[in-house]
Amino acid sequence: MITRTVGILLAAISTLLVTAFPALAHNEFKSSNPAGGATLDTAPTSVTLTFSEELIDGQATFTITGPDGASAS
């Protein structure tokens, strides 16, 4: 009886370990305004990026390009 219980317990633990989701340790991009891929008639006065967590100063870089692929900094 004990051997069977231990076997079932080990099988359950093994299943949980194999199917466990990885930890989400990285910040995730959520949205932007204007939306990604949007076509605008004029250049926007600002671009807003939204992330799942606060960004760390000096640890993030962004590149905005125009329709010709040139940097729009």
Side-chain angles (χ1 to χ4, degrees):
M1 180 74 172
I2 293 176
T3 304
R4 182 176 178 192
T5 304
V6 170
I8 292 171
L9 185 59
L10 287 175
I13 291 171
S14 296
T15 301
L16 287 173
L17 291 175
V18 169
T19 60
F21 292 100
L24 298 175
H26 298 286
N27 202 343
E28 183 180 339
F29 172 73
K30 293 291 190 180
S31 64
S32 66
N33 186 12
T39 301
L40 307 174
D41 293 331
T42 59
T45 56
S46 66
V47 175
T48 303
L49 303 174
T50 304
F51 292 88
S52 60
E53 299 177 20
E54 293 290 319
L55 298 177
I56 300 171
D57 288 340
Q59 302 260 335
T61 58
F62 304 95
T63 303
I64 300 173
T65 56
D68 59 356
S71 176
S73 306

